[in-house]
């Protein structure tokens, strides 16, 4: 069991090596030692030592020379994406996503499991089986560093278990981290889904920067991942980001907490579908509303009054939540994503932008910039795998809770 900040799974050692790898990763065309020296301030001798070791261990390669005119041509150093991999698993009520990420953060393999009518123990066994299949598809399975798991909160991250996730009650008390570690024989870590999603977005953001931002995750439930000064905000127990009971409409639907118009219940797919006069139970479990949501969005875009009104109302409610979060935290950016968002965004994205401009009570002194997630519906699974790579690979400090 390893519980550390800024640990280095690669075992390549130093902060300097992580720093150099991170810079090279972010430069698809590669970087020369001269550029690396300029960016890091490291001495030429130190740089030579660090890069020699990274080349020897296969993490980077010499990718030809560039330069014309006077002076020596520069040798470009490029990342070797297949040097290491990480598995990412996203446990979600509607669909479990499993990805195999290479060292460049690209998806090498992708699978989905739809949990229809099977127990959590059977689902867990299926996840382990798929994960092992992905690992054994590699020419060298030993290159997989570990498995990151993103799951709905609340979680006990120190024990690696799910507490009582409202939409996955049968998983309550499951020691997911240790179980998946045992099934895959890999180091494993567990992170709340919205935090993993934010980590994934930070990984792919230009220059790794999102500044002070929120990731609004819209799936079967709604939550936010937060990044302050480019660092994911976890909170005291790594459960930050639950906004389900933020009241966004005093006349909204009743919530199990006793209030009306909480964000969670107001944005639930079933609420939207029933507001729009559409069937909300398209599959036997009523958990996978994707087809129905596609139909809702299409009808709204075609101008059908009830579906359009249902989505406009949802946009206004979401805008109120974004304004409250922005007022509280003084943010710059809001990234919008998750499986339900991805389906509704053709209508919802412009509607949220319009609603934001008309929402009262704004105290922020600059407008919140809206972005679409760069990782689509895989964002939490990719983020979970990035957490594994993060500890290995970036100079950015991060919490890791690893067991093996
Ligand atoms: Zn509530």
């Amino acid at each position: 069991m390893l519980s550390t900040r800024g640990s280095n799974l690669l075992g390549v050692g130093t902060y300097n090596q992580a720093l150099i790898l991170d810079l090279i990763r972010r430069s698809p065309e590669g970087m020369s030692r001269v550029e690396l020296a300029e960016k890091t301030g490291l001495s030429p001798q130190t740089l030579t030592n660090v890069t020699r070791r990274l080349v020897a261990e296969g993490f980077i390669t010499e990718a030809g020379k560039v330069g014309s005119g006077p002076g020596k041509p520069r040798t470009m150093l490029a990342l070797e994406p297949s040097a290491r991999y990480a598995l990412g698993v996203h446990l979600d009520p509607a669909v479990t996503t499993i990805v195999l990420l290479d060292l460049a953060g690209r998806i090498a393999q992708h699978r989905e499991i739809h949990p229809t009518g099977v127990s959590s123990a059977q689902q867990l066994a299926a996840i382990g089986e798929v994960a092992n299949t992905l690992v054994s598809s590699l020419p060298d399975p030993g290159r997989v560093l570990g498995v990151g798991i993103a799951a709905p909160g609340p979680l006990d991250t120190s024990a690696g278990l799910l507490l009582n996730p409202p939409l996955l009650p049968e998983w309550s008390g499951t020691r997911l981290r240790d179980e998946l570690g045992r099934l895959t024989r890999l180091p494993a870590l567990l992170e709340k889904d919205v935090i993993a999603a934010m980590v994934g977005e930070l990984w792919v953001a230009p220059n790794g920067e999102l500044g002070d931002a929120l990731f609004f995750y819209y799936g079967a439930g709604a939550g936010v991942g937060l990044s302050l000064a480019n660092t994911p905000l976890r909170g005291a127990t790594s459960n930050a980001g639950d906004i389900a009971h933020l009241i966004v409409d005093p006349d909204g639907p009743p919530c199990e907490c006793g209030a009306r118009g909480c964000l969670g219940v107001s944005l639930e797919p079933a609420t939207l579908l029933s507001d729009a006069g559409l069937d909300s139970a398209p599959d036997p479990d009523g958990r996978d509303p994707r087809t129905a949501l596609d139909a809702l969005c299409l009808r709204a875009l075609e101008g059908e009054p009830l579906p359009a009104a249902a989505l406009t109302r949802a946009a206004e409610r979401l805008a109120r939540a974004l304004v409250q979060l922005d007022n509280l935290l003084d943010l710059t950016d809001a990234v919008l994503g998750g499986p339900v968002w991805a389906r509704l965004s053709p209508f919802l994205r412009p509607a949220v932008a319009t609603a934001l401009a008309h929402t009262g009570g704004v105290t922020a002194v600059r407008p919140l910039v809206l972005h679409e997630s760069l990782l689509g519906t895989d964002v939490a699974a990719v983020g979970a795998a990035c957490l594994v790579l993060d500890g290995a690979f970036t100079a950015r400090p991060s919490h890791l809770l690893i067991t093996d």
Side-chain angles (χ1 to χ4, degrees):
M1 173 92 176
L2 157 69
S3 174
T4 184
R5 181 175 269 274
S7 71
N8 195 315
L9 288 178
L10 293 178
V12 291
T14 69
Y15 174 87
N16 287 342
Q17 284 166 341
L19 183 66
I20 297 299
L21 263 178
D22 197 33
L23 285 169
I24 293 174
R25 175 178 79 80
R26 292 182 185 285
S27 177
E29 66 285 1
M31 285 186 109
S32 68
R33 289 182 178 82
V34 173
E35 288 171 297
L36 288 167
E38 283 165 5
K39 284 191 181 291
T40 59
L42 294 174
S43 71
Q45 187 55 48
T46 303
L47 256 174
T48 299
N49 291 341
V50 170
T51 54
R52 185 185 294 143
R53 183 158 177 196
L54 289 172
V55 170
E57 303 208 5
F59 294 110
I60 60 175
T61 52
E62 294 193 343
K65 295 181 188 296
V66 295
S68 55
K72 207 171 141 191
R74 295 171 176 183
T75 301
M76 299 303 283
L77 298 165
L79 188 74
E80 178 46 59
S82 65
R84 292 292 186 279
Y85 295 84
L87 278 165
V89 174
H90 178 207
L91 184 72
D92 177 87
V95 57
T96 294
T97 306
I98 305 168
V99 295
L100 185 64
L101 231 60
D102 70 16
L103 201 48
R106 297 180 310 209
I107 296 177
Q109 297 271 3
H110 177 276
R111 296 282 188 283
E112 288 186 354
I113 300 175
H114 296 267
T116 43
V118 296
S119 69
S120 57
Q122 287 169 309
Q123 288 181 56
L124 188 55
I127 294 167
E129 207 170 297
V130 170
N132 287 334
T133 304
L134 297 190
V135 171
S136 56
S137 73
L138 293 171
D140 180 1
R143 292 185 175 187
V144 181
L145 291 166
V147 54
I149 309 150
L155 309 172
D156 179 341
T157 48
S158 58
L161 61 87
L162 305 191
L163 293 175
N164 47 348
L167 299 172
L168 288 169
E170 68 271 33
W171 287 84
S172 186
T174 305
R175 293 189 174 273
L176 190 54
R177 184 192 64 203
D178 292 355
E179 287 292 327
L180 213 50
R182 183 179 60 78
L183 289 168
T184 59
R185 295 186 207 160
L186 288 168
L189 63 86
L190 178 65
E191 186 80 86
K192 184 169 168 169
D193 48 10
V194 288
I195 297 172
M198 180 48 98
V199 168
E201 287 296 329
L202 279 167
W203 243 72
V204 295
N207 302 316
E209 292 187 357
L210 269 172
D212 301 306
L214 67 84
F215 184 98
F216 174 72
Y217 184 87
Y218 192 3
V224 290
L226 296 163
S227 158
L228 298 179
N230 293 312
T231 305
L233 181 76
R234 290 182 165 83
T237 65
S238 298
N239 279 299
D242 202 326
I243 51 165
H245 298 286
L246 198 63
I247 293 176
V248 290
D249 186 353
D251 301 319
C255 177
E256 61 180 16
C257 76
R260 292 192 80 90
C262 293
L263 183 73
V265 69
S266 297
L267 290 188
E268 245 173 38
T271 302
L272 266 58
L273 293 166
S274 103
D275 278 3
L278 298 172
D279 185 3
S280 65
D283 76 339
D285 289 345
R287 280 180 171 180
D288 186 0
R290 291 184 286 182
T291 316
L293 289 171
D294 287 345
L296 169 61
C297 195
L298 192 62
R299 291 183 187 200
L301 288 168
E302 285 170 352
E304 274 193 45
L306 272 182
L311 286 184
T312 301
R313 198 175 306 126
E316 289 165 355
R317 289 166 170 170
L318 174 53
R320 281 184 209 127
L322 295 178
V323 164
Q324 294 302 325
L325 291 167
D326 189 21
N327 286 350
L328 179 68
L329 294 164
D330 190 8
L331 302 169
T332 55
D333 300 80
V335 184
L336 307 164
V340 172
W341 176 265
R343 308 196 100 77
L344 299 179
S345 87
F347 187 95
L348 223 41
R349 167 92 186 267
V352 169
T354 305
L356 267 183
H358 295 99
T359 301
V362 175
T363 60
V365 297
R366 56 181 166 183
L368 194 61
V369 180
L370 300 181
H371 306 265
E372 203 75 19
S373 165
L374 294 174
L375 290 168
T377 56
D378 295 327
V379 60
V382 170
C386 287
L387 277 161
V388 175
L389 298 180
D390 221 9
F393 188 53
T394 72
R396 182 191 299 137
S398 66
H399 277 296
L400 281 182
L401 290 161
I402 304 288
T403 183
D404 61 9

